Amino acid sequence: MQHKSNIVDIAEKSGFSITTVSRVLNGKGDKYRISKATQQKIESIAEELNYVPNEFAQNLRTGKSKTIALIVPSLKNPFFAEIASVVNTEVRKYNYITLIGDSDDNIENEKTEVMHLSSRNLDGMIIVPCGDEWEHLVKLQEKGLSLICIDRYFEGLDLSFVSSDNYEGAYSASKYLIEHGHTFIACIQGVRHSTPNIQRVKGFIDAMVGSGITSYTVTGDAFSEQNGYLETKLLLQQKVRPTAIFAFSNTIAMGCIKALKEEKVKVPEEMSLITFDDNPYLDYIEPPLTCISQPVEDICKIAVKILFSNILEHDVSPKYVLLKTQLKVKASVKNLDHVL
Amino acid sequence: MQHKSNIVDIAEKSGFSITTVSRVLNGKGDKYRISKATQQKIESIAEELNYVPNEFAQNLRTGKSKTIALIVPSLKNPFFAEIASVVNTEVRKYNYITLIGDSDDNIENEKTEVMHLSSRNLDGMIIVPCGDEWEHLVKLQEKGLSLICIDRYFEGLDLSFVSSDNYEGAYSASKYLIEHGHTFIACIQGVRHSTPNIQRVKGFIDAMVGSGITSYTVTGDAFSEQNGYLETKLLLQQKVRPTAIFAFSNTIAMGCIKALKEEKVKVPEEMSLITFDDNPYLDYIEPPLTCISQPVEDICKIAVKILFSNILEHDVSPKYVLLKTQLKVKASVKNLDHVL
DNA sequence: TTTATTGGAACAAACGTTTACGTAATAATA
DNA sequence: TATTATTACGTAAACGTTTGTTCCAATAAA
């Protein structure tokens, strides 16, 4: 392993001081009136010696790590995997790096991850919180860390977030079911006290009530496949079955499908299904699932932008952004009006 | 933002020297015969001051970053997302952190990512290479970086790898098709000169030849959905269609399904399909796809283990590990023998 | 001639650790 | 008693940067 060159080597070889070398290599040559000749000489020597700055020394000196953290509930969930992917590439554009943490949708893990990652002198953090607690996040922010929530968030705090307009998304999905003649609809929700979930429930109920529909149910308590599975199983036990299920996440929808298959209930003939979240695999399911698609890419891009305006320009005023969702009609909802 | 405490603060408050504080906090108290009383005092003060070590100073001093990088072709692919997830948690157990890079299955991106990440003084790297080139990886290793390939790898190099036994996997999948009466089988391959692909082709052909089957084809050139789609489209154009398709990855299989749906070819009635890679969504596709499941979790765990035996114990002898795959029979292969 | 100004560059401290090498006091041994 | 070992801890350099301050020479202005 050959000697890794540093600015001292370059200083010696060029005959200039460490200071001058550092300034040139940081692009501050002109600012400090270093002559063009000197700049070129130093740059060519740096090139020649294959100089790579030691980020630790830089970070130690400047206190900036050029690192942000992203914490998601589960990398295995394609929805969050996409978030990770987009955030990663967006952050790279600023020449920063992303540390990814996985909370497994568990608040204790989330806290541990937050602690562990923030020991790395983060410049910022993007988090999809479990949805249960926010004190540890507020504390982090009070310590001076730039922080923003995506997808899941909290209301009434000075904590920026970017998410989908969950109310509107749920409302339009519900409306769609109603317009297709469904009058007994069950929705299977996720983490109950999480803001997106609350909004979705509100959207759902408002659509029901607004259309004068009284027979609806809201069950479930986790954005998990298991929750979708269990609740669907239970729904199918009822004497009077709903004609449609509204799953509040793709994972929940997977659980629904599993249960429906087991019980040999055909979609959409015997049960309609609509879900929040889009993902490529949804097209390959039979039938392709009609869904509320979230603008994941935009959410991430905007979040990164806000984060960096906070980090770089110290714009700390909290931003609350909700983006429109999109109803993607595929083939899992039956039109009951045409039946008879 | 309150002052972040450091060991100097602790030293002052406790009355002991920086050295002693450092030693205690590094768990070297006993080694350096620091009295229990002192240790406890220092530890409690550290606790009280909410001390978090500055990793940059540590890293600068020790030259170790406690950081490894993972480069995958695409985080959006659930197969690699799972790898990322497992590697991440395994690495965390060593108190190291994982930097994740995405090459988008493009060798130029891969090289850029490798360069960019290695400027962070990595202690090690785990990579799923694009499969095209290996010079840049060998160079990295020669510079002293601990490096290991997973999933895709190169033969004949001093470069450790952990992967599935692709030959055996492809062989057993092919055998399975043959045993179910298929005599005209098409396989859609991935990146041609990548070792796993070569092994899979070999396994496929050996199974064909070994069973005296002469009508088979091998087409395709990428582990992508598009490749699967296009090649399937082409296959369906042929006067004599194969009775089964063997897709060399889950992405390819998705493309196959898309094309088969478009052409209204029923699986498995009119076309059997078997694929490499398992993933949860495969169960929800209609019909559930029979597949060759790779032991992703084990691959990652072993890779991390080898990597750390390299980093921590300087065991640099290259390790070549191939793990057995598993045929998961679901419902996408028709038994032709029972037809008549 | 004296005083400013400016271009070009260097000095030296600081960031928060780790660690090779002490040292002083006491205990054990010869 | 003199020597050595052991216990318990400290000194100070080093890691590779960045940066506020200073310096010097040359030129311009007064």
Side-chain angles (χ1 to χ4, degrees):
Chain A
M1 176 157 35
Q2 75 260 35
H3 172 68
K4 244 190 156 183
S5 61
N6 55 27
I7 55 173
V8 178
D9 299 330
I10 300 178
E12 278 168 3
K13 186 145 184 182
S14 68
F16 293 99
S17 74
I18 295 179
T19 307
T20 302
V21 172
S22 170
R23 290 186 167 137
V24 169
L25 264 24
N26 279 313
K28 296 180 180 168
D30 291 336
K31 186 178 166 196
Y32 285 95
R33 301 170 306 220
I34 315 252
S35 71
K36 286 286 169 218
T38 304
Q39 295 199 29
Q40 272 166 25
K41 189 167 178 192
I42 288 176
E43 264 153 9
S44 78
I45 291 181
E47 178 97 354
E48 182 190 330
L49 293 185
N50 229 311
Y51 172 71
V52 179
N54 181 321
E55 306 224 20
F56 299 121
Q58 291 183 318
N59 297 338
L60 177 59
R61 183 52 232 237
T62 61
K64 298 279 139 211
S65 63
K66 291 201 157 200
T67 301
I68 73 127
L70 169 70
I71 298 184
V72 295
S74 164
L75 256 190
K76 290 181 186 173
N77 183 329
F79 182 71
F80 299 121
E82 188 179 355
I83 286 181
S85 177
V86 178
V87 167
N88 205 32
T89 62
E90 287 303 309
V91 165
R92 202 68 118 239
K93 291 180 186 164
Y94 289 85
N95 253 305
Y96 275 55
I97 216 156
T98 311
L99 263 31
I100 298 178
D102 197 315
S103 68
D104 207 20
D105 232 326
N106 171 321
I107 185 66
E108 288 313 318
N109 287 345
E110 181 180 307
K111 287 179 183 171
T112 319
E113 280 299 307
V114 165
M115 290 317 297
H116 190 247
L117 289 172
S118 51
S119 86
R120 293 240 164 189
N121 277 30
L122 299 176
D123 292 339
M125 180 181 281
I126 300 180
I127 185 168
V128 180
C130 292
D132 296 282
E133 297 179 31
W134 40 266
E135 293 88 352
H136 58 300
L137 300 179
V138 171
K139 260 186 201 155
L140 217 61
Q141 193 176 232
E142 281 167 355
K143 278 192 181 173
L145 186 76
S146 299
L147 181 61
I148 185 166
C149 294
I150 58 177
D151 187 39
R152 306 191 200 161
Y153 58 98
F154 306 97
E155 283 184 319
L157 301 180
D158 284 345
L159 198 48
S160 297
F161 61 78
V162 183
S163 183
S164 302
D165 188 336
N166 291 287
Y167 175 86
E168 171 258 359
Y171 187 89
S172 66
S174 310
K175 266 290 184 195
Y176 181 79
L177 291 174
I178 295 167
E179 284 162 4
H180 281 66
H182 292 272
T183 50
F184 183 14
I185 304 174
C187 103
I188 303 180
Q189 65 181 332
V191 179
R192 290 196 184 177
H193 25 302
S194 71
T195 307
N197 193 71
I198 292 170
Q199 294 297 332
R200 290 176 194 181
V201 170
K202 204 181 280 178
F204 172 72
I205 293 182
D206 280 5
M208 294 298 128
V209 173
S211 303
I213 294 179
T214 51
S215 55
Y216 58 86
T217 60
V218 179
T219 51
D221 55 8
F223 289 115
S224 69
E225 181 176 332
Q226 199 191 20
N227 179 41
Y229 176 77
L230 288 177
E231 294 299 339
T232 306
K233 279 282 200 180
L234 290 176
L235 286 175
L236 296 178
Q237 301 293 317
Q238 297 179 192
K239 278 167 299 199
V240 184
R241 285 182 180 176
T243 59
I245 295 176
F246 181 7
F248 272 14
S249 78
N250 67 46
T251 41
I252 293 175
M254 293 303 113
C256 297
I257 293 177
K258 189 176 170 192
L260 291 168
K261 266 196 175 179
E262 276 185 20
E263 303 288 333
K264 302 207 190 308
V265 176
K266 282 190 182 161
V267 180
E269 292 79 0
E270 301 168 87
M271 180 67 79
S272 290
L273 182 57
I274 194 167
T275 180
F276 238 92
D277 305 341
D278 193 8
N279 89 48
Y281 288 89
L282 257 41
D283 285 332
Y284 296 112
I285 287 169
E286 194 52 44
L289 286 191
T290 293
C291 64
I292 300 293
S293 167
Q294 301 192 53
V296 177
E297 188 139 352
D298 287 340
I299 289 177
C300 295
K301 284 187 175 174
I302 293 175
V304 170
K305 206 166 179 178
I306 293 175
L307 188 73
F308 276 96
S309 87
N310 189 325
I311 295 176
L312 267 20
E313 287 134 40
H314 307 285
D315 174 2
V316 295
S317 63
K319 306 275 187 304
Y320 311 119
V321 181
L322 290 183
L323 301 178
K324 282 266 171 295
T325 58
Q326 194 191 345
L327 174 68
K328 286 201 179 165
V329 175
K330 294 177 186 172
S332 62
V333 174
K334 187 181 179 185
N335 192 339
L336 295 182
D337 283 345
H338 290 200
V339 164
L340 299 180
Chain B
M1 174 160 31
Q2 76 260 40
H3 172 68
K4 243 190 156 185
S5 61
N6 54 30
I7 54 173
V8 178
D9 299 330
I10 300 178
E12 277 167 3
K13 185 146 188 183
S14 68
F16 293 100
S17 73
I18 296 179
T19 306
T20 301
V21 172
S22 170
R23 286 181 172 143
V24 169
L25 263 24
N26 280 312
K28 295 181 182 168
D30 290 337
K31 187 177 163 196
Y32 286 95
R33 301 168 305 219
I34 317 267
S35 71
K36 287 285 171 220
T38 304
Q39 295 198 31
Q40 272 166 25
K41 187 166 180 194
I42 288 176
E43 264 154 10
S44 78
I45 292 182
E47 179 98 355
E48 180 190 331
L49 294 185
N50 229 310
Y51 172 71
V52 179
N54 181 321
E55 305 226 22
F56 298 121
Q58 290 183 317
N59 296 337
L60 178 59
R61 181 54 232 237
T62 61
K64 298 281 139 209
S65 63
K66 290 199 160 205
T67 301
I68 74 126
L70 168 70
I71 297 183
V72 295
S74 165
L75 257 190
K76 292 182 187 174
N77 183 329
F79 182 71
F80 298 122
E82 186 179 356
I83 285 180
S85 176
V86 178
V87 167
N88 205 33
T89 61
E90 287 303 309
V91 165
R92 203 68 116 243
K93 291 180 187 165
Y94 289 85
N95 253 304
Y96 275 54
I97 216 156
T98 310
L99 264 27
I100 298 179
D102 197 315
S103 69
D104 207 20
D105 231 327
N106 170 322
I107 184 67
E108 288 314 318
N109 287 345
E110 180 179 308
K111 286 180 183 171
T112 318
E113 279 300 306
V114 165
M115 288 318 296
H116 189 246
L117 290 172
S118 50
S119 86
R120 293 238 163 188
N121 277 30
L122 299 175
D123 291 340
M125 179 181 281
I126 300 181
I127 184 169
V128 181
C130 292
D132 295 283
E133 298 179 29
W134 38 267
E135 294 86 352
H136 58 300
L137 299 178
V138 171
K139 260 185 201 155
L140 217 59
Q141 191 174 235
E142 282 167 356
K143 277 192 182 173
L145 186 77
S146 298
L147 181 61
I148 186 166
C149 294
I150 58 176
D151 188 38
R152 306 193 199 159
Y153 59 98
F154 305 98
E155 283 186 317
L157 302 179
D158 283 347
L159 196 51
S160 296
F161 61 77
V162 184
S163 183
S164 301
D165 188 337
N166 291 287
Y167 175 87
E168 170 257 1
Y171 187 89
S172 65
S174 310
K175 265 290 186 197
Y176 180 79
L177 290 175
I178 294 168
E179 284 162 2
H180 282 66
H182 294 270
T183 50
F184 182 12
I185 304 173
C187 101
I188 304 181
Q189 65 180 332
V191 178
R192 291 199 182 176
H193 24 303
S194 72
T195 309
N197 193 72
I198 292 170
Q199 294 297 333
R200 290 176 194 181
V201 170
K202 204 183 279 180
F204 173 72
I205 293 182
D206 281 4
M208 294 299 130
V209 172
S211 303
I213 293 179
T214 50
S215 53
Y216 60 85
T217 59
V218 179
T219 51
D221 54 9
F223 289 115
S224 70
E225 181 177 333
Q226 197 191 23
N227 179 42
Y229 176 76
L230 288 177
E231 294 299 339
T232 306
K233 279 283 200 178
L234 289 175
L235 285 174
L236 296 178
Q237 299 294 316
Q238 294 179 194
K239 277 168 304 200
V240 184
R241 288 181 179 177
T243 58
I245 295 176
F246 180 8
F248 273 14
S249 78
N250 67 48
T251 43
I252 293 174
M254 293 303 113
C256 297
I257 293 175
K258 189 176 172 193
L260 291 167
K261 266 197 176 179
E262 274 185 22
E263 303 286 334
K264 304 204 188 310
V265 176
K266 283 188 182 159
V267 179
E269 291 79 1
E270 301 169 88
M271 179 69 77
S272 290
L273 182 57
I274 195 167
T275 181
F276 237 93
D277 305 340
D278 193 7
N279 87 50
Y281 288 90
L282 258 39
D283 285 332
Y284 296 111
I285 288 170
E286 193 52 45
L289 286 190
T290 294
C291 64
I292 299 295
S293 168
Q294 302 191 52
V296 176
E297 190 139 350
D298 286 342
I299 289 177
C300 295
K301 284 187 174 172
I302 293 176
V304 170
K305 204 164 182 182
I306 293 176
L307 188 73
F308 277 95
S309 87
N310 188 325
I311 295 175
L312 268 21
E313 286 135 40
H314 307 285
D315 174 3
V316 295
S317 63
K319 306 275 188 298
Y320 312 120
V321 181
L322 291 182
L323 301 179
K324 282 270 172 288
T325 59
Q326 194 190 345
L327 175 68
K328 287 200 179 166
V329 175
K330 294 177 187 172
S332 63
V333 174
K334 187 180 178 186
N335 193 339
L336 295 182
D337 284 346
H338 291 200
V339 166
L340 299 180

